């Protein structure tokens, strides 16, 4: 049986875990908003038309910051369309997803939903078809308390207090040829710098995220970050990373190593940011906002989901409605492990997305809401992750992947807080259970108060409308003897343990 051993020592800290690592993303795309979080006719809908069953699941998922309103959508979005009396709002054609946007749910409605969900707003501005002036207008509308035309308009529209939005994305995926207003790194860097400077003149307390690459395989990856940061180093706080993985895009062994790929991306972007820092002789450090990450079968979008035709602009079509399996959930768990292990340089992250669109939560109009398999590792990691990420001293057997070469069979992350220690583990072996021995002597006398896992004999099992609870968390056995905790992880599994001091 393959083996791994892990040593935990609370004195070896990576850094503080920013709660914003457990963020998500709601885009005006498909049934994310309409027939997702919002369905006025639904039996659980509240007075604003928001589904109560979905809100309950979002709270259980434990999402901190939610990025809004896109995504590709934002690059053609006129924010003014989405405020004021709902009946007078324009209906627009959304070019990004070839859909009709009615603007029935806009900035006010979404911020009210966020209050109910207990999450914080992260706003993206349109730097695709628009620029500095419109970004300033939105910032004035959202963050200025009163006394200017746009802040008073917000008050007249029913929001007396400013939204006080802290995190702002300077556009979306501007490196991607599919993006409305896509431009090269030099042109985007200049526009982002001008926009950031102007926005800070209006509100110096905001945190700004400049667009990094849409994924690590982009031909401009690395060079894009270098050029963009040369233009914006003084003006921004964070640079974004986006990445999606899918079993259909590689062999299963490589797919299971997605967390390894995410770690490489983070480390390469950190190296690039630090190289610009050195060349520009700066002391300030730029960190990462990994504001789109997930499993997503992009191939399916190319072949099934794409809508076209000048007369065909559906409202809230079923787009990007991936159905997630056990192996997808294990990969999502391993991606969270990678984020925790880079807590010193990743300050924020957004699981893309939240409801119906490549999402942990699914809904049926007039029907049920249910948890996809990927719901479980996210909810457990968000709930159990402590304030400090510890360095996992891990020695693991390895396996071969066609995409990344030799990769550890087991990966782990460890966090601690005043109340205890949490351990997150993944076994990437397709065929073997793996025994992990964890040296916990430094923790003193502790007991395992929670031990849960995701695994199944059918690694492609999924939760569906017909069978919404087919896959769920399972208890997993552990033993402790002489300061060593032993756990045997089934093939293709993810597990989380909570250790608390014995009184
Ligand atoms: O999350 C789906 C899409 O993926 C987003 O709109 C875009 O930013 C990315 O390409």
């Amino acid at each position: 049986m393959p083996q791994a051993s892990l040593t935990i020592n609370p004195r070896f800290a990576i850094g503080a875990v920013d709660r914003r690592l457990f963020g998500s993303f709601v885009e005006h795309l498909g049934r994310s908003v309409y027939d997702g979080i919002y369905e006025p006719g639904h039996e659980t809908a509240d007075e604003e038309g928001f589904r109560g069953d979905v809100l309950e699941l979002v709270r259980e998922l434990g999402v901190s910051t939610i990025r809004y309103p896109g995504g590709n959508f934002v690059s053609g979005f006129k924010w003014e369309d989405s405020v004021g009396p709902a009946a007078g709002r324009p209906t627009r054609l959304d070019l990004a997803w070839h859909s009709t946007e009615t603007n029935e749910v806009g900035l006010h409605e979404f911020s009210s939903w966020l209050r109910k969900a207990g999450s914080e707003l992260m706003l993206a501005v349109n730097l695709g078809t628009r620029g500095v002036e419109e970004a300033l207008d939105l910032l004035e509308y959202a963050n200025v308390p009163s006394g200017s035309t746009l802040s008073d308009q917000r008050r007249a529209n029913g929001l007396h207090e400013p939204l006080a939005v802290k995190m702002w994305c300077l556009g979306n995926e501007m490196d991607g040829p599919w993006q409305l207003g896509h431009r090269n790194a030099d042109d985007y860097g200049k526009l982002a710098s001008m926009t950031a400077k102007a926005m800070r003149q209006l509100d110096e307390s905001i945190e700004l995220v400049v667009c990094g690459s849409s994924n690590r395989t982009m031909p401009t990856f690395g060079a894009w970050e270098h050029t963009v940061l040369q233009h914006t180093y003084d003006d921004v706080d964070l640079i974004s990373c986006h990445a999606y993985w899918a079993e259909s895009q590689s062999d299963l062994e490589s797919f299971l190593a997605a967390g390894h790929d995410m770690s490489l991306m983070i480390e390469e972007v950190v190296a690039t940011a630090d190289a610009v820092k050195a060349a520009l002789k700066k002391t300030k450090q730029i960190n990462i906002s990994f504001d789109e990450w997930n499993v997503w079968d992009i191939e399916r979008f190319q072949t099934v989901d794409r809508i076209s035709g000048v007369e065909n602009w559906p409202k809230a079509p079923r787009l990007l409605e991936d159905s997630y399996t056990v192996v997808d959930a294990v990969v999502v768990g391993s991606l969270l492990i990678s984020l925790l292990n880079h807590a010193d340089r990743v300050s924020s992250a957004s699981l893309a997305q939240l409801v119906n669109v490549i999402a942990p939560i699914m809904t049926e109009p007039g029907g049920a809401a249910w948890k996809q398999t990927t719901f479980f590792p996210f909810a457990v990691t968000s709930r159990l992750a402590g304030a400090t990420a510890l360095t996992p001293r891990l020695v693991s057997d390895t396996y071969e992947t066609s995409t990344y070469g030799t990769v550890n069979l087991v990966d782990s992350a460890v966090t601690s807080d005043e109340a205890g220690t949490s351990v997150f583990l993944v076994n990437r072996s397709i065929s073997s259970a793996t025994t992990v021995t964890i040296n916990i002597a430094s923790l003193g006398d502790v007991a395992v108060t929670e031990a849960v896992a995701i695994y199944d004999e059918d690694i492609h099992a999924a939760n569906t409308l017909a069978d919404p609870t087919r896959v769920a968390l399972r208890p997993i056995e552990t033993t402790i003897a002489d300061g060593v905790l032993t756990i045997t992880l089934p093939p293709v599994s993810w597990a989380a343990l909570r250790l608390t001091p014995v009184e």
Side-chain angles (χ1 to χ4, degrees):
M1 187 183 291
Q3 307 282 329
S5 71
L6 171 67
T7 302
I8 298 179
N9 190 322
R11 283 188 293 180
F12 299 134
I14 296 172
V17 175
D18 196 318
R19 283 304 303 169
R20 295 180 304 183
L21 278 192
F22 305 106
S24 186
F25 175 30
V26 170
E27 177 168 5
H28 281 251
L29 190 186
R31 299 193 306 122
S32 174
V33 175
Y34 308 109
D35 285 352
I37 65 171
Y38 177 79
E39 192 188 330
H42 193 268
E43 60 177 6
T44 70
D46 63 16
E47 63 295 346
E48 289 186 291
F50 292 123
R51 278 182 69 152
D53 55 351
V54 174
L55 268 168
E56 219 168 279
L57 289 175
V58 171
R59 285 188 214 109
E60 186 183 335
L61 189 62
V63 283
S64 51
T65 313
I66 299 188
R67 185 167 173 255
Y68 178 83
N72 295 340
F73 171 80
V74 82
S75 294
F77 178 54
K78 294 189 174 81
W79 70 267
E80 309 87 317
D81 291 350
S82 80
V83 299
R89 295 183 193 165
T91 294
R92 301 281 186 197
L93 301 182
D94 162 28
L95 305 188
W97 302 105
H98 210 89
S99 309
T100 293
E101 174 56 56
T102 60
N103 286 300
E104 207 173 325
V105 172
L107 191 54
H108 290 244
E109 292 78 17
F110 189 68
S111 62
S112 170
W113 181 81
L114 279 173
R115 270 194 300 280
K116 294 173 185 181
S119 305
E120 201 178 314
L121 180 59
M122 173 181 185
L123 263 184
V125 301
N126 175 356
L127 290 189
T129 59
R130 308 187 104 188
V132 184
E133 189 176 345
E134 295 88 349
L136 277 177
D137 286 349
L138 177 54
L139 179 60
E140 180 186 326
Y141 187 90
N143 280 15
V144 172
S146 65
S148 69
T149 300
L150 290 171
S151 59
D152 288 342
Q153 192 182 322
R154 181 200 68 240
R155 288 160 68 97
N157 287 339
L159 258 181
H160 208 72
E161 295 303 316
L163 286 167
V165 181
K166 179 106 180 116
M167 288 188 83
W168 294 78
C169 304
L170 297 164
N172 177 68
E173 295 191 347
M174 298 306 298
D175 64 322
W178 58 86
Q179 201 69 217
L180 274 173
H182 155 67
R183 52 203 87 186
N184 66 33
D186 254 316
D187 291 346
Y188 169 67
K190 287 177 196 161
L191 175 62
S193 169
M194 281 189 293
T195 310
K197 283 190 173 78
M199 289 176 78
R200 274 202 208 288
Q201 265 179 263
L202 182 58
D203 182 352
E204 60 193 16
S205 73
I206 56 176
E207 227 172 319
L208 291 167
V209 186
V210 74
C211 289
S213 294
S214 302
N215 62 68
R216 189 169 168 252
T217 56
M218 292 297 286
T220 50
F221 176 64
W224 172 274
E225 283 78 0
H226 196 267
T227 304
V228 164
L229 284 177
Q230 277 179 321
H231 286 290
T232 59
Y233 204 90
D234 285 334
D235 309 317
V236 302
D237 304 286
L238 302 161
I239 185 159
S240 71
C241 286
H242 289 184
Y244 294 96
W245 295 266
E247 189 183 344
S248 65
Q249 274 151 32
S250 62
D251 51 289
L252 183 56
E253 287 87 348
S254 298
F255 176 53
L256 280 160
H260 173 77
D261 190 39
M262 179 188 245
S263 296
L264 293 176
M265 185 173 192
I266 292 169
E267 286 155 24
E268 285 158 357
V269 173
V270 163
T272 308
D274 290 351
V276 177
K277 174 186 173 192
L280 298 180
K281 311 210 172 352
K282 303 290 179 188
T283 50
K284 167 185 169 186
Q285 177 174 291
I286 298 286
N287 276 359
I288 290 174
S289 167
F290 215 119
D291 47 44
E292 283 189 36
W293 68 269
N294 203 351
V295 172
W296 174 20
D297 191 346
I298 296 174
E299 194 54 39
R300 185 178 174 276
F301 172 66
Q302 304 298 350
T303 54
V304 180
D305 284 349
R306 229 174 230 291
I307 303 167
S308 61
V310 76
E311 288 168 0
N312 184 24
W313 299 84
K315 183 190 165 193
R318 289 182 185 254
L319 289 177
L320 280 57
E321 299 203 2
D322 282 16
S323 170
Y324 290 115
T325 64
V326 170
V327 62
D328 293 333
V330 169
V331 166
V332 163
S334 75
L335 293 166
L336 286 157
I337 286 175
S338 168
L339 289 171
L340 286 172
N341 284 333
H342 295 89
D344 54 336
R345 296 305 297 262
V346 184
S347 309
S348 175
S350 311
L351 173 72
Q353 297 192 9
L354 187 62
V355 180
N356 286 333
V357 171
I358 43 174
I361 298 168
M362 295 300 289
T363 70
E364 197 50 33
W370 70 96
K371 300 171 184 173
Q372 294 238 48
T373 59
T374 52
F375 185 98
F376 301 106
F378 190 99
V380 173
T381 307
S382 174
R383 180 168 55 80
L384 293 187
T388 307
L390 303 182
T391 309
R393 306 205 147 210
L394 175 77
V395 180
S396 170
D397 283 347
T398 57
Y399 74 115
E400 293 308 310
T401 68
S402 61
T403 313
Y404 312 110
T406 307
V407 173
N408 276 350
L409 265 181
V410 169
D411 201 4
S412 65
V414 184
T415 66
S416 74
D417 53 68
E418 279 171 8
T421 306
S422 299
V423 184
F424 305 95
L425 297 161
V426 62
N427 177 18
R428 296 171 170 137
S429 172
I430 292 170
S431 50
S432 310
T434 303
T435 297
V436 187
T437 49
I438 310 178
N439 185 327
I440 53 170
S442 66
L443 301 180
D445 203 4
V446 290
V448 178
T449 47
E450 188 168 346
V452 290
I454 288 280
Y455 62 94
D456 203 286
E457 283 201 344
D458 175 6
I459 63 168
H460 292 110
N463 292 340
T464 58
L465 178 61
D467 192 358
T469 55
R470 163 67 183 79
V471 179
L473 285 171
R474 303 167 73 152
I476 187 161
E477 267 183 40
T478 59
T479 56
I480 296 181
D482 302 327
V484 175
L485 184 156
T486 304
I487 180 170
T488 298
L489 300 170
V492 188
S493 65
W494 169 91
L497 312 176
R498 180 72 178 160
L499 312 178
T500 50
V502 174
E503 296 300 317

mmCIF file of all heavy atoms in Angstrom, residues 25 27 29 71-72 97 172-173 178 244 292 296 320 353 358, ligand 1:
data_model
loop_
_atom_site.group_PDB
_atom_site.id
_atom_site.type_symbol
_atom_site.label_atom_id
_atom_site.label_comp_id
_atom_site.label_asym_id
_atom_site.label_seq_id
_atom_site.Cartn_x
_atom_site.Cartn_y
_atom_site.Cartn_z
ATOM 1 N N PHE A 25 -18.570 33.539 -6.845
ATOM 2 C CA PHE A 25 -18.723 34.388 -8.023
ATOM 3 C C PHE A 25 -20.140 34.229 -8.561
ATOM 4 O O PHE A 25 -20.592 33.094 -8.769
ATOM 5 C CB PHE A 25 -17.668 33.923 -9.031
ATOM 6 C CG PHE A 25 -17.665 34.553 -10.390
ATOM 7 C CD1 PHE A 25 -18.092 35.859 -10.596
ATOM 8 C CD2 PHE A 25 -17.193 33.835 -11.480
ATOM 9 C CE1 PHE A 25 -18.058 36.425 -11.854
ATOM 10 C CE2 PHE A 25 -17.148 34.386 -12.743
ATOM 11 C CZ PHE A 25 -17.583 35.692 -12.924
ATOM 12 N N GLU A 27 -22.286 35.626 -11.760
ATOM 13 C CA GLU A 27 -22.262 36.388 -13.008
ATOM 14 C C GLU A 27 -23.669 36.388 -13.603
ATOM 15 O O GLU A 27 -24.425 35.419 -13.432
ATOM 16 C CB GLU A 27 -21.274 35.720 -13.982
ATOM 17 C CG GLU A 27 -21.230 36.396 -15.358
ATOM 18 C CD GLU A 27 -20.050 35.937 -16.214
ATOM 19 O OE1 GLU A 27 -19.319 35.024 -15.799
ATOM 20 O OE2 GLU A 27 -19.874 36.525 -17.305
ATOM 21 N N LEU A 29 -25.236 35.267 -16.104
ATOM 22 C CA LEU A 29 -24.892 34.233 -17.091
ATOM 23 C C LEU A 29 -25.840 33.069 -16.877
ATOM 24 O O LEU A 29 -25.970 32.580 -15.743
ATOM 25 C CB LEU A 29 -23.441 33.786 -16.831
ATOM 26 C CG LEU A 29 -22.652 32.887 -17.777
ATOM 27 C CD1 LEU A 29 -21.330 32.519 -17.170
ATOM 28 C CD2 LEU A 29 -23.355 31.723 -18.342
ATOM 29 N N GLY A 71 -16.766 38.443 -14.712
ATOM 30 C CA GLY A 71 -17.022 37.562 -15.826
ATOM 31 C C GLY A 71 -17.064 38.306 -17.161
ATOM 32 O O GLY A 71 -16.969 39.527 -17.265
ATOM 33 N N ASN A 72 -17.140 37.483 -18.197
ATOM 34 C CA ASN A 72 -17.215 38.024 -19.559
ATOM 35 C C ASN A 72 -18.361 39.026 -19.692
ATOM 36 O O ASN A 72 -18.278 39.974 -20.467
ATOM 37 C CB ASN A 72 -17.404 36.877 -20.554
ATOM 38 C CG ASN A 72 -16.199 35.948 -20.586
ATOM 39 O OD1 ASN A 72 -15.104 36.313 -20.174
ATOM 40 N ND2 ASN A 72 -16.398 34.737 -21.080
ATOM 41 N N TRP A 97 -22.614 36.076 -23.705
ATOM 42 C CA TRP A 97 -23.266 34.758 -23.599
ATOM 43 C C TRP A 97 -24.456 34.637 -24.553
ATOM 44 O O TRP A 97 -25.251 33.709 -24.433
ATOM 45 C CB TRP A 97 -23.680 34.488 -22.147
ATOM 46 C CG TRP A 97 -22.489 34.550 -21.247
ATOM 47 C CD1 TRP A 97 -22.179 35.559 -20.384
ATOM 48 C CD2 TRP A 97 -21.409 33.610 -21.172
ATOM 49 N NE1 TRP A 97 -20.979 35.298 -19.766
ATOM 50 C CE2 TRP A 97 -20.485 34.114 -20.229
ATOM 51 C CE3 TRP A 97 -21.121 32.391 -21.803
ATOM 52 C CZ2 TRP A 97 -19.301 33.446 -19.899
ATOM 53 C CZ3 TRP A 97 -19.937 31.729 -21.472
ATOM 54 C CH2 TRP A 97 -19.054 32.254 -20.538
ATOM 55 N N ASN A 172 -12.163 42.231 -16.711
ATOM 56 C CA ASN A 172 -12.160 40.769 -16.625
ATOM 57 C C ASN A 172 -11.417 40.156 -17.802
ATOM 58 O O ASN A 172 -11.695 40.516 -18.954
ATOM 59 C CB ASN A 172 -13.606 40.238 -16.621
ATOM 60 C CG ASN A 172 -13.660 38.718 -16.603
ATOM 61 O OD1 ASN A 172 -13.286 38.095 -15.619
ATOM 62 N ND2 ASN A 172 -14.096 38.120 -17.708
ATOM 63 N N GLU A 173 -10.480 39.263 -17.512
ATOM 64 C CA GLU A 173 -9.789 38.460 -18.546
ATOM 65 C C GLU A 173 -9.472 39.271 -19.795
ATOM 66 O O GLU A 173 -9.804 38.862 -20.922
ATOM 67 C CB GLU A 173 -10.621 37.218 -18.901
ATOM 68 C CG GLU A 173 -10.752 36.263 -17.732
ATOM 69 C CD GLU A 173 -11.341 34.906 -18.076
ATOM 70 O OE1 GLU A 173 -11.889 34.735 -19.178
ATOM 71 O OE2 GLU A 173 -11.238 33.994 -17.224
ATOM 72 N N TRP A 178 -11.480 36.326 -26.628
ATOM 73 C CA TRP A 178 -12.941 36.240 -26.577
ATOM 74 C C TRP A 178 -13.563 37.421 -25.833
ATOM 75 O O TRP A 178 -14.769 37.624 -25.877
ATOM 76 C CB TRP A 178 -13.373 34.947 -25.868
ATOM 77 C CG TRP A 178 -12.825 34.851 -24.473
ATOM 78 C CD1 TRP A 178 -13.368 35.376 -23.334
ATOM 79 C CD2 TRP A 178 -11.599 34.239 -24.081
ATOM 80 N NE1 TRP A 178 -12.564 35.128 -22.252
ATOM 81 C CE2 TRP A 178 -11.464 34.426 -22.688
ATOM 82 C CE3 TRP A 178 -10.593 33.543 -24.775
ATOM 83 C CZ2 TRP A 178 -10.364 33.955 -21.970
ATOM 84 C CZ3 TRP A 178 -9.516 33.071 -24.050
ATOM 85 C CH2 TRP A 178 -9.403 33.274 -22.672
ATOM 86 N N TYR A 244 -9.345 26.790 -14.897
ATOM 87 C CA TYR A 244 -10.358 25.725 -14.820
ATOM 88 C C TYR A 244 -9.708 24.426 -15.271
ATOM 89 O O TYR A 244 -8.831 24.435 -16.138
ATOM 90 C CB TYR A 244 -11.539 26.044 -15.750
ATOM 91 C CG TYR A 244 -12.334 27.277 -15.340
ATOM 92 C CD1 TYR A 244 -12.064 28.516 -15.907
ATOM 93 C CD2 TYR A 244 -13.351 27.185 -14.399
ATOM 94 C CE1 TYR A 244 -12.797 29.651 -15.538
ATOM 95 C CE2 TYR A 244 -14.088 28.304 -14.028
ATOM 96 C CZ TYR A 244 -13.810 29.533 -14.599
ATOM 97 O OH TYR A 244 -14.535 30.641 -14.229
ATOM 98 N N GLU A 292 -11.194 33.317 -10.229
ATOM 99 C CA GLU A 292 -12.009 32.301 -10.919
ATOM 100 C C GLU A 292 -11.236 30.994 -10.858
ATOM 101 O O GLU A 292 -10.125 30.910 -11.405
ATOM 102 C CB GLU A 292 -12.290 32.679 -12.378
ATOM 103 C CG GLU A 292 -13.353 33.734 -12.534
ATOM 104 C CD GLU A 292 -13.797 33.949 -13.980
ATOM 105 O OE1 GLU A 292 -13.859 32.981 -14.754
ATOM 106 O OE2 GLU A 292 -14.054 35.113 -14.328
ATOM 107 N N TRP A 296 -14.342 22.737 -14.786
ATOM 108 C CA TRP A 296 -15.318 23.171 -15.804
ATOM 109 C C TRP A 296 -14.971 22.458 -17.102
ATOM 110 O O TRP A 296 -13.850 22.587 -17.598
ATOM 111 C CB TRP A 296 -15.264 24.700 -15.988
ATOM 112 C CG TRP A 296 -16.133 25.231 -17.123
ATOM 113 C CD1 TRP A 296 -17.184 24.610 -17.714
ATOM 114 C CD2 TRP A 296 -15.990 26.499 -17.789
ATOM 115 N NE1 TRP A 296 -17.726 25.412 -18.699
ATOM 116 C CE2 TRP A 296 -17.018 26.583 -18.764
ATOM 117 C CE3 TRP A 296 -15.114 27.575 -17.654
ATOM 118 C CZ2 TRP A 296 -17.170 27.692 -19.601
ATOM 119 C CZ3 TRP A 296 -15.271 28.678 -18.483
ATOM 120 C CH2 TRP A 296 -16.300 28.733 -19.439
ATOM 121 N N LEU A 320 -23.592 26.254 -19.229
ATOM 122 C CA LEU A 320 -22.496 25.839 -18.346
ATOM 123 C C LEU A 320 -23.008 25.067 -17.120
ATOM 124 O O LEU A 320 -22.486 25.213 -16.013
ATOM 125 C CB LEU A 320 -21.707 27.063 -17.856
ATOM 126 C CG LEU A 320 -20.666 27.717 -18.763
ATOM 127 C CD1 LEU A 320 -21.236 28.163 -20.095
ATOM 128 C CD2 LEU A 320 -20.025 28.900 -18.079
ATOM 129 N N GLN A 353 -18.685 28.970 -10.399
ATOM 130 C CA GLN A 353 -19.448 30.047 -9.834
ATOM 131 C C GLN A 353 -20.273 29.495 -8.674
ATOM 132 O O GLN A 353 -19.893 28.466 -8.122
ATOM 133 C CB GLN A 353 -20.300 30.678 -10.915
ATOM 134 C CG GLN A 353 -19.424 31.308 -12.034
ATOM 135 C CD GLN A 353 -20.164 32.214 -12.999
ATOM 136 O OE1 GLN A 353 -21.311 32.565 -12.814
ATOM 137 N NE2 GLN A 353 -19.491 32.613 -14.098
ATOM 138 N N ILE A 358 -21.703 26.174 -13.612
ATOM 139 C CA ILE A 358 -20.511 25.511 -13.042
ATOM 140 C C ILE A 358 -20.487 25.722 -11.515
ATOM 141 O O ILE A 358 -19.562 26.312 -10.965
ATOM 142 C CB ILE A 358 -19.189 25.961 -13.718
ATOM 143 C CG1 ILE A 358 -19.131 27.471 -13.966
ATOM 144 C CG2 ILE A 358 -18.952 25.203 -14.991
ATOM 145 C CD1 ILE A 358 -17.763 27.965 -14.510
HETATM 146 O O1 LIG B 1 -16.994 31.593 -15.259
HETATM 147 C C1 LIG B 1 -17.326 31.499 -16.611
HETATM 148 C C2 LIG B 1 -16.466 32.404 -17.476
HETATM 149 O O2 LIG B 1 -15.150 31.926 -17.456
HETATM 150 C C3 LIG B 1 -16.324 33.838 -17.028
HETATM 151 O O3 LIG B 1 -17.354 34.653 -17.484
HETATM 152 C C4 LIG B 1 -15.037 34.244 -17.662
HETATM 153 O O4 LIG B 1 -14.377 35.261 -16.945
HETATM 154 C C5 LIG B 1 -14.226 32.961 -17.757
HETATM 155 O O5 LIG B 1 -13.703 32.770 -19.003
#
